[in-house]
Amino acid sequence: QKEVEQNSGPLSVPEGAIASLNCTYSDRVSQSFFWYRQYSGKSPELIMSIYSNGDKEDGRFTAQLNKASQYVSLLIRDSQPSDSATYLCAVRSNQAGTALIFGKGTTLSVSS
Amino acid sequence: ETGVTQSPTHLIKTRGQQVTLRCSSQSGHNTVSWYQQALGQGPQFIFQYYREEENGRGNFPPRFSGLQFPNYSSELNVNALELDDSALYLCASSSDRGTNEKLFFGSGTQLSVL
């Protein structure tokens, strides 16, 4: 059973701090990795994708991938109250078409 | 705004009934995937359709079925509804089946089974 694990939180950080969200996955042959943000009652919104080991930066967001450790993380710099949401880690399965396997999500709360 | 539209937005059914959910894919996209998201969980893959054929299926029973039409819109049908089918149903379209393809979700259909 391929799994994606995330700490459910809640993770609480003050405004302006760095929020660090972590994810591990079990399928060693996974090739693509995604972070989605989901506000309460809304659908997931793609915020980052990463395919190679190392860091990928996009504005205040940095995704980090370590395939040897089967670990992917998301850093949010200068956290804002509007970043308060559930963050879903998703990993691409190589078996069922382009199916994504999601973790349960980490709830982030940014206090002003 | 992803260009993926789903209908209806909310639906209430009773146990044992049947339901049909609809999804219009983004222009130019020939692949549609369906996911089920129960409260407090991540989305779970139901199945994917590529050019009107089922192209992959998750761990869901046969009472979950689907269709894709020549214009690449799609339907998800669920027969013999159970209480545990209450969830947010998400549709995503994409332009190919490649492993690097990003998925963009529609706004979802919230199904409540009483």
Side-chain angles (χ1 to χ4, degrees):
Chain A
Q1 178 77 4
K2 298 178 178 61
E3 294 183 343
V4 176
E5 299 287 342
Q6 294 182 256
N7 187 327
S8 62
L11 173 65
S12 297
V13 300
E15 184 175 358
I18 295 174
S20 177
L21 305 162
N22 304 314
C23 171
T24 59
Y25 59 94
S26 63
D27 186 4
R28 282 198 163 274
V29 300
S30 298
Q31 295 296 319
S32 1
F33 307 86
F34 305 88
W35 284 98
Y36 285 81
R37 177 176 62 198
Q38 187 172 29
Y39 293 113
S40 181
K42 302 294 186 182
S43 62
E45 171 193 10
L46 179 66
I47 55 173
M48 289 288 288
S49 60
I50 187 166
Y51 309 108
S52 304
N53 280 330
D55 295 359
K56 179 181 178 182
E57 187 174 317
D58 184 359
R60 296 186 296 112
F61 298 98
T62 299
Q64 299 174 316
L65 175 61
N66 184 326
K67 289 185 179 180
S69 300
Q70 295 174 239
Y71 176 91
V72 58
S73 66
L74 179 70
L75 300 177
I76 306 175
R77 290 181 300 281
D78 188 24
S79 295
Q80 301 297 310
S82 59
D83 294 327
S84 297
T86 296
Y87 288 81
L88 298 162
C89 173
V91 174
R92 176 86 72 199
S93 160
N94 287 329
Q95 290 189 348
T98 56
L100 291 180
I101 300 173
F102 284 84
K104 292 184 178 181
T106 298
T107 300
L108 172 66
S109 177
V110 181
S111 55
S112 57
Chain B
E1 195 69 36
T2 64
V4 180
T5 59
Q6 292 185 245
S7 62
T9 54
H10 295 86
L11 203 51
I12 299 175
K13 292 286 189 178
T14 56
R15 193 170 48 183
Q17 285 189 311
Q18 178 266 343
V19 69
T20 298
L21 310 182
R22 295 178 175 83
C23 172
S24 293
S25 58
Q26 186 172 329
S27 178
H29 286 183
N30 56 21
T31 304
V32 173
S33 304
W34 286 92
Y35 287 78
Q36 179 198 65
Q37 186 176 22
L39 192 63
Q41 304 294 315
Q44 285 199 310
F45 176 67
I46 303 175
F47 43 57
Q48 180 190 80
Y49 278 83
Y50 171 70
R51 293 185 175 180
E52 303 177 58
E53 298 283 335
E54 187 178 291
N55 184 49
R57 189 178 183 94
N59 189 26
F60 280 81
R63 60 188 186 85
F64 285 79
S65 63
L67 280 174
Q68 188 179 31
F69 300 101
N71 66 355
Y72 303 131
S73 65
S74 178
E75 285 183 354
L76 164 64
N77 300 291
V78 187
N79 293 323
L81 283 166
E82 299 177 0
L83 298 180
D84 284 349
D85 295 333
S86 295
L88 178 66
Y89 288 84
L90 298 162
C91 168
S93 71
S94 54
S95 58
D96 67 42
R97 298 169 294 168
T99 55
N100 287 350
E101 183 69 17
K102 303 179 182 70
L103 290 186
F104 299 92
F105 290 96
S107 56
T109 294
Q110 184 66 54
L111 173 65
S112 298
V113 182
L114 306 178

